[in-house]
Amino acid sequence: MNRYVALGSSMAAGPGIRPLAAGAPRVAGRSARNYPRLVAHALGLDLVDVTFSGATTAHLLSERQLGVPPQIETLDGSETLVTITIGGNDVGYVPLLMGATLPGLFRRLPAVAELLDPGLREQALSEVEPALQAVGAAVRSRSPRARVIFVDYLTLLPPAGERAGRLPEDVVHLARHVADGLQRCTAAAAATTGCELVRAGVASREHHPWSAQPWTVGPGLPLPWRPWPFHPNAAGMAAVAGLVAMSCGGRA
């Protein structure tokens, strides 16, 4: 079989989408129905899935995460496909949205206030593009025979002009800016490093949590028996798998 390695954060792992992946660390939040597994099944690939909830570009490249080695160490050069979904935790995208769901008093706590600070989010965006470029370059170097595909994040908010439930509009505006910036940085990193790009964000614009056919989940509590808030649901994972498989010339 051809070897496929999936790298990334919770947006690829699929926390809360039942069932859990057999043998995966529970803290990884890795679903047996995440897009890497669906792609591997559709294309007949031998999957090594090291996606991990909470991962940053540093966890992918150089830092251990809860005792687990950097994800890139999984690559041995025999891969024919590598997918990468990363960067959101670097810029505080989902934590920002989670902070927006808190009562006003809690939003003034220092840690939450930092997440909601436009200047700090802008600084984080300025730092994520070179980090993503480093990821792309390192993966290309370690897996020279592989198709390397960045897969950006599914849409988590309705378009401008539409309400996002009860989320404060100023925070929603900031989160949209962060999401747009992350998409631009991911696309630029893919182009700069010779990687491919699957634009899950563009494909899912009409499938936000408040839409008729959502691919992602809106506000709520992160309970283990259902998809986590501001994360893909099963339909979203299936949709991303279809996009990735089609980009590889197959069908999910």
Coordinates of all heavy atoms in Angstrom, one line a residue, residues 178-212:
V178 N -9.4 37.1 11.5 CA -8.4 36.0 11.8 C -8.5 34.9 10.8 O -7.5 34.4 10.3 CB -8.5 35.6 13.2 CG1 -7.7 34.3 13.5 CG2 -8.1 36.7 14.2
A179 N -9.8 34.4 10.6 CA -10.0 33.3 9.6 C -9.5 33.7 8.2 O -8.9 32.8 7.6 CB -11.5 33.0 9.6
D180 N -9.8 34.9 7.8 CA -9.4 35.3 6.4 C -7.9 35.3 6.4 O -7.3 34.9 5.4 CB -10.0 36.6 6.1 CG -11.5 36.6 5.8 OD1 -12.0 35.5 5.7 OD2 -12.1 37.7 5.8
G181 N -7.3 35.9 7.4 CA -5.8 36.0 7.4 C -5.2 34.6 7.4 O -4.2 34.4 6.8
L182 N -5.7 33.7 8.2 CA -5.2 32.3 8.2 C -5.3 31.6 6.9 O -4.4 30.9 6.4 CB -5.9 31.5 9.3 CG -5.5 30.1 9.6 CD1 -4.0 30.1 9.9 CD2 -6.3 29.4 10.7
Q183 N -6.4 31.8 6.2 CA -6.5 31.3 4.8 C -5.5 31.9 3.9 O -4.9 31.1 3.1 CB -7.9 31.6 4.3 CG -9.0 30.7 4.8 CD -10.4 30.9 4.1 OE1 -10.4 31.4 3.0 NE2 -11.4 30.5 4.7
R184 N -5.3 33.2 4.0 CA -4.3 33.8 3.1 C -2.9 33.3 3.4 O -2.1 33.0 2.5 CB -4.3 35.3 3.3 CG -5.5 36.0 2.7 CD -5.3 37.5 2.5 NE -5.0 38.1 3.8 CZ -5.9 38.6 4.7 NH1 -7.2 38.5 4.4 NH2 -5.6 39.1 5.8
C185 N -2.6 33.1 4.7 CA -1.2 32.7 5.1 C -1.0 31.2 4.6 O 0.1 30.8 4.2 CB -1.1 32.8 6.6 SG -1.0 34.5 7.2
T186 N -2.1 30.4 4.8 CA -1.9 29.0 4.4 C -1.7 28.9 2.9 O -0.9 28.1 2.4 CB -3.2 28.2 4.8 OG1 -3.4 28.3 6.2 CG2 -3.1 26.8 4.4
A187 N -2.5 29.7 2.1 CA -2.3 29.7 0.6 C -0.9 30.1 0.2 O -0.3 29.6 -0.7 CB -3.4 30.5 0.0
A188 N -0.5 31.2 0.9 CA 0.9 31.7 0.6 C 2.0 30.7 0.9 O 2.9 30.5 0.1 CB 1.1 33.0 1.3
A189 N 1.8 30.0 2.0 CA 2.8 29.0 2.4 C 2.8 27.9 1.5 O 3.9 27.4 1.1 CB 2.5 28.6 3.8
A190 N 1.7 27.4 1.0 CA 1.6 26.3 0.1 C 2.3 26.7 -1.2 O 3.1 26.0 -1.8 CB 0.1 26.0 -0.2
A191 N 2.0 27.9 -1.7 CA 2.6 28.4 -3.0 C 4.1 28.5 -2.9 O 4.8 28.2 -3.8 CB 1.9 29.7 -3.4
T192 N 4.5 29.1 -1.8 CA 6.0 29.4 -1.6 C 6.8 28.1 -1.5 O 7.9 28.0 -2.0 CB 6.2 30.2 -0.3 OG1 5.5 31.4 -0.5 CG2 7.7 30.5 -0.1
T193 N 6.2 27.0 -0.9 CA 7.0 25.8 -0.7 C 6.7 24.7 -1.7 O 7.1 23.6 -1.5 CB 6.7 25.3 0.8 OG1 5.2 25.1 0.9 CG2 7.1 26.3 1.8
G194 N 5.9 25.0 -2.7 CA 5.6 24.0 -3.7 C 4.6 22.9 -3.3 O 4.6 21.8 -3.8
C195 N 3.8 23.2 -2.3 CA 2.8 22.3 -1.9 C 1.4 22.6 -2.6 O 1.2 23.7 -3.1 CB 2.6 22.4 -0.3 SG 4.1 22.0 0.6
E196 N 0.5 21.7 -2.5 CA -0.8 21.9 -3.0 C -1.7 22.5 -1.9 O -1.3 22.5 -0.7 CB -1.4 20.6 -3.6 CG -0.6 20.0 -4.7 CD -1.1 18.6 -5.2 OE1 -2.3 18.5 -5.4 OE2 -0.3 17.7 -5.3
L197 N -2.9 22.9 -2.3 CA -3.8 23.5 -1.4 C -5.2 23.1 -1.6 O -5.7 23.1 -2.8 CB -3.7 25.1 -1.5 CG -4.7 25.9 -0.6 CD1 -4.4 25.7 0.9 CD2 -4.7 27.3 -1.0
V198 N -5.9 22.6 -0.6 CA -7.3 22.4 -0.7 C -8.0 23.4 0.1 O -7.8 23.6 1.3 CB -7.7 21.0 -0.1 CG1 -9.2 20.8 0.1 CG2 -7.2 19.9 -1.1
R199 N -8.9 24.2 -0.5 CA -9.5 25.4 0.1 C -10.9 24.9 0.8 O -11.9 25.3 0.3 CB -9.8 26.5 -0.9 CG -8.5 27.0 -1.5 CD -8.8 28.1 -2.5 NE -7.6 28.7 -3.1 CZ -6.9 29.7 -2.6 NH1 -7.3 30.3 -1.5 NH2 -5.8 30.1 -3.2
A200 N -10.7 24.3 1.9 CA -11.9 23.9 2.6 C -12.7 25.1 3.1 O -14.0 25.0 3.2 CB -11.5 23.0 3.8
G201 N -12.1 26.2 3.4 CA -12.8 27.4 3.9 C -13.7 27.9 2.8 O -14.8 28.3 3.1
V202 N -13.2 28.0 1.6 CA -14.0 28.5 0.5 C -15.2 27.6 0.2 O -16.3 28.0 0.0 CB -13.1 28.7 -0.7 CG1 -14.0 29.1 -2.0 CG2 -12.1 29.8 -0.5
A203 N -14.9 26.3 0.2 CA -15.9 25.3 -0.1 C -17.0 25.3 0.9 O -18.2 24.9 0.6 CB -15.3 23.9 -0.3
S204 N -16.7 25.7 2.1 CA -17.7 25.6 3.2 C -18.4 26.9 3.6 O -19.1 27.0 4.6 CB -17.0 25.0 4.4 OG -16.0 25.8 4.9
R205 N -18.3 27.9 2.8 CA -18.8 29.2 3.2 C -20.3 29.2 3.4 O -20.8 29.9 4.3 CB -18.5 30.3 2.0 CG -17.1 30.8 2.1 CD -16.9 31.7 0.9 NE -15.5 32.2 0.9 CZ -14.9 32.9 -0.1 NH1 -15.6 33.1 -1.2 NH2 -13.7 33.3 0.0
E206 N -21.0 28.4 2.7 CA -22.5 28.3 2.9 C -22.9 27.2 3.9 O -24.0 26.8 4.0 CB -23.2 28.0 1.6 CG -22.9 29.1 0.5 CD -23.3 30.5 0.9 OE1 -24.4 30.6 1.6 OE2 -22.5 31.4 0.7
H207 N -21.9 26.6 4.6 CA -22.1 25.5 5.5 C -21.6 25.8 6.9 O -21.1 24.9 7.6 CB -21.5 24.2 4.9 CG -22.0 23.8 3.6 ND1 -23.2 23.1 3.5 CD2 -21.5 24.0 2.4 CE1 -23.4 22.8 2.2 NE2 -22.4 23.4 1.5
H208 N -21.7 27.1 7.3 CA -21.3 27.5 8.7 C -22.3 26.9 9.7 O -23.4 26.4 9.3 CB -21.3 29.0 8.7 CG -22.5 29.7 8.4 ND1 -23.6 29.8 9.2 CD2 -22.9 30.2 7.2 CE1 -24.6 30.5 8.6 NE2 -24.2 30.7 7.4
P209 N -22.1 27.0 11.0 CA -22.9 26.4 12.0 C -24.4 26.8 12.0 O -25.2 26.1 12.5 CB -22.2 26.8 13.3 CG -20.8 26.9 12.9 CD -20.8 27.5 11.6
W210 N -24.7 28.0 11.5 CA -26.0 28.6 11.5 C -26.7 28.3 10.2 O -27.8 28.8 10.0 CB -26.0 30.0 11.9 CG -25.6 30.3 13.3 CD1 -26.4 30.3 14.4 CD2 -24.3 30.4 13.8 NE1 -25.7 30.5 15.5 CE2 -24.4 30.6 15.2 CE3 -23.0 30.4 13.2 CZ2 -23.2 30.8 16.0 CZ3 -21.9 30.6 14.0 CH2 -22.0 30.8 15.4
S211 N -26.1 27.6 9.3 CA -26.7 27.3 8.0 C -27.7 26.1 8.0 O -27.8 25.4 9.0 CB -25.6 27.1 6.9 OG -25.0 25.8 7.2
A212 N -28.3 25.9 6.9 CA -29.3 24.8 6.8 C -28.6 23.4 6.8 O -29.1 22.4 7.3 CB -30.2 24.9 5.6

